[in-house]
Amino acid sequence: MIEVVAPGPYATVQDLGRPGLAHLGVPCSGAADAPGLRLANRLVGNPEGLAAVELTYGTARLRFLDGAWVALAGAPVTSEAGMGAPFWVPAGGELRFGPPAWGLRTYVAVRGGIAVEPVLGSRSTDSLSGLGPEPLRAGTLLPVGPPQGEIATDLAPPPPPRPAVLRLVPGPRDDWFVPGAPAALCARPYRVTQDSNRVGVRLRGPELVRARQGELPSEGMVLGAVQVPPSGQPIVFLADHPPTGGYPVIAVVRDADIPVAAQLRPGDEVRFTLRSHH
Amino acid sequence: MIRPAGEHGLLVETGSLEMSHRLDAALRDAPPGGVVEIVPGPETVLVVAPGADRERLRARLASLAEDVREGAGPAAREGRVVTIPVVYDGADLESVARLAGIPVDEVISRHTGRELTVGWLGFAPGFAYLTGLDPVLRTPRLETPRTSVPAGSVAVAGPYSAVYPSASPGGWRLLGRTSTRVWDVTADPPALLLPGVRVRFERVSGA
């Protein structure tokens, strides 16, 4: 059992979410930076999709009522455990996390995984629909599952931050915008606003001007969609994005760059590019 | 037309809800390899397939869309009719009557008088947009949405009706409430109202 002493600004349990239920109105949810979760799990010998704690801007404290192997990945934070290697926390031990040196979301995996009750096949907190466990609070107790597999000797020192550049696939609704809009999207950086969350990264910058007025009939939305509400200021959809929406999507962030988007902090600058390499 | 939706998604334009239902049914009948999500909308079906060969999938979707346009393939998946008992005591019954220019009793008889069809789900888990509402009952959403609408609330907005699957904020106009659970995470499937299901509301007296 793990006791949350302090969750920091926002912390949740996350696994790989609830794929396959979008047609029932269920967001996929799951770790915002899925490769970060997978890495943290691999380091403690877990299957990659077990549930872990997703910290937002670190500054949390966790007390381990039983001894446990833990590993951290994602945004690098200071703690007794260090990043990117399995670390033994003895019974009664506490991990105190500082703010990340860069990035926003850190994954704290525990050997055996966080074993809260799954809902629709997942232990993820879905901040949009409310499915899954409540966000962590001081005093929340998290059960740990039985260990599976072996810890392989492994070390994954945190990589340097990736450039804040998001590569795009145009469409599906780029034709709802004036011909210069994709160029405008890529011409100058956007700034990440304070109201960004697990649903999406909200941006402020050059306005994306529509060529068509009226309403788009509601349609399926994908992870990484750059949706443009009437304000003309884009939103990049993250894990808890709504499965359907009625604002046009000008372009979609490439899969490999979703973790970059998920690690953007309010105040950060980010660029878009339509070229496939940078 | 089939539009790209990122590296793993293709958005098929069906042009109508009926064609969306037919294509959805055909895809669920025999899902192409690698497909994770099939999301029908009023004029589109989104297909997400991270593992699939994109060009093969595009060709397959184009040919399926052509088949369903010509009337081949399975009919819209669900022929079921679900009857939903409603206590018509909603907070917006009067305002809907006023906006429609008809007495409250007529709001109820028009709401129960037609069979509706589940168009698609969205907004919240299990929230089904019911199409086929009597046009007289078309009213705009509330200007200020309620911060919490109880689960089981039966409501209308624009050309749609719906049953709130769980408590949530909401701007639809409330006509009444039902004891029928349209969303249950322990059920399989968790949603009672799936695309294509037909729905009939039935007036019952309240407790």
Side-chain angles (χ1 to χ4, degrees):
Chain A
M1 200 74 93
I2 300 169
E3 183 190 350
V4 178
V5 179
Y10 185 70
T12 54
V13 174
Q14 295 295 337
D15 53 21
L16 294 175
R18 304 180 179 84
L21 299 173
H23 63 293
L24 302 183
V26 177
C28 184
S29 192
D33 173 358
L37 170 78
R38 291 173 187 272
L39 173 60
N41 271 324
R42 285 201 303 275
L43 287 166
V44 287
N46 286 343
E48 289 186 334
L50 288 198
V53 173
E54 181 183 277
L55 301 178
T56 309
Y57 205 68
T59 59
R61 290 166 66 189
L62 300 176
R63 182 180 297 141
F64 291 74
L65 306 185
D66 311 292
W69 284 99
V70 302
L72 312 180
V77 292
T78 57
S79 78
E80 294 75 2
M83 296 296 297
F87 180 87
W88 173 256
V89 184
E94 192 176 305
L95 295 181
R96 283 161 292 195
F97 305 99
W102 59 264
L104 186 63
R105 297 185 168 95
T106 305
Y107 295 88
V108 185
V110 183
R111 183 161 165 76
I114 303 293
V116 294
E117 202 56 39
V119 176
L120 295 174
S122 166
R123 298 181 164 90
S124 291
T125 295
D126 178 351
S127 65
L128 187 73
S129 76
L131 291 173
E134 292 280 308
L136 305 188
R137 276 181 265 185
T140 300
L141 290 174
L142 299 172
V144 175
Q148 312 173 35
E150 295 299 319
I151 297 185
T153 310
D154 206 349
L155 186 68
R162 289 174 58 189
V165 179
L166 304 176
R167 291 166 291 178
L168 298 173
V169 179
R173 297 291 175 187
D174 42 340
D175 55 349
W176 273 61
F177 297 86
V178 297
L185 178 63
C186 298
R188 286 196 283 129
Y190 282 81
R191 194 169 292 280
V192 177
T193 69
Q194 286 291 343
D195 49 356
S196 299
N197 52 29
R198 285 179 42 84
V199 174
V201 182
R202 290 171 181 267
L203 301 170
R204 184 158 304 283
E207 184 183 340
L208 302 170
V209 179
R210 270 202 208 174
R212 296 172 62 168
Q213 297 312 316
E215 261 183 82
L216 178 70
S218 170
E219 64 188 26
M221 292 281 142
V222 296
L223 181 66
V226 181
Q227 200 198 45
V228 185
S231 67
Q233 300 293 322
I235 302 166
V236 178
F237 276 160
L238 296 182
D240 291 353
H241 73 85
T244 58
Y247 297 133
V249 171
I250 188 169
V252 179
V253 174
R254 287 180 182 271
D255 219 37
D257 294 346
I258 298 291
V260 175
Q263 293 295 357
L264 292 170
R265 296 176 179 182
D268 280 354
E269 280 196 342
V270 60
R271 280 183 179 275
F272 293 100
T273 177
L274 283 159
R275 288 172 303 160
S276 54
H277 298 286
H278 63 259
Chain B
M1 183 169 178
I2 300 180
R3 295 167 177 266
E7 289 172 291
H8 307 306
L10 290 170
L11 185 71
V12 185
E13 295 195 294
T14 60
S16 74
L17 185 59
E18 168 69 13
M19 286 303 137
S20 293
H21 284 170
R22 285 173 174 274
L23 182 58
D24 178 56
L27 284 166
R28 285 182 200 283
D29 225 32
V35 169
V36 174
E37 301 280 7
I38 303 164
V39 191
E43 296 181 11
T44 54
V45 176
L46 172 69
V47 178
V48 180
D53 177 303
R54 207 178 162 73
E55 286 320 304
R56 274 182 61 185
L57 180 63
R58 182 189 287 270
R60 174 101 181 96
L61 291 175
S63 110
L64 268 178
E66 187 61 29
D67 288 353
V68 299
R69 246 188 298 277
E70 285 167 5
R77 176 166 46 124
E78 296 283 353
R80 276 191 299 140
V81 182
V82 173
T83 300
I84 296 182
V86 181
V87 179
Y88 283 93
D89 60 359
D92 301 316
L93 205 50
E94 300 274 351
S95 81
V96 171
R98 200 171 54 246
L99 286 162
I102 55 175
V104 164
D105 264 352
E106 192 179 336
V107 171
I108 298 167
S109 63
R110 285 181 184 272
H111 194 245
T112 54
R114 289 194 182 199
E115 196 171 86
L116 307 184
T117 302
V118 178
W120 67 97
L121 285 79
F123 173 63
F127 190 101
Y129 288 79
L130 303 175
T131 62
L133 182 71
D134 188 318
V136 171
L137 300 182
R138 289 185 184 189
T139 45
R141 286 165 205 236
L142 298 173
E143 274 181 36
T144 311
R146 291 185 171 87
T147 52
S148 183
V149 174
S153 295
V154 176
V156 291
Y160 308 115
S161 188
V163 180
Y164 277 79
S166 47
S168 71
W172 292 36
R173 291 180 194 264
L174 310 183
L175 300 186
R177 58 196 156 92
T178 181
S179 56
T180 300
R181 285 182 77 178
V182 297
W183 177 249
D184 177 0
V185 293
T186 64
D188 184 21
L192 175 68
L193 305 178
L194 300 171
V197 168
R198 289 175 292 154
V199 173
R200 191 171 268 283
F201 291 109
E202 184 181 65
R203 182 181 195 172
V204 294
S205 54

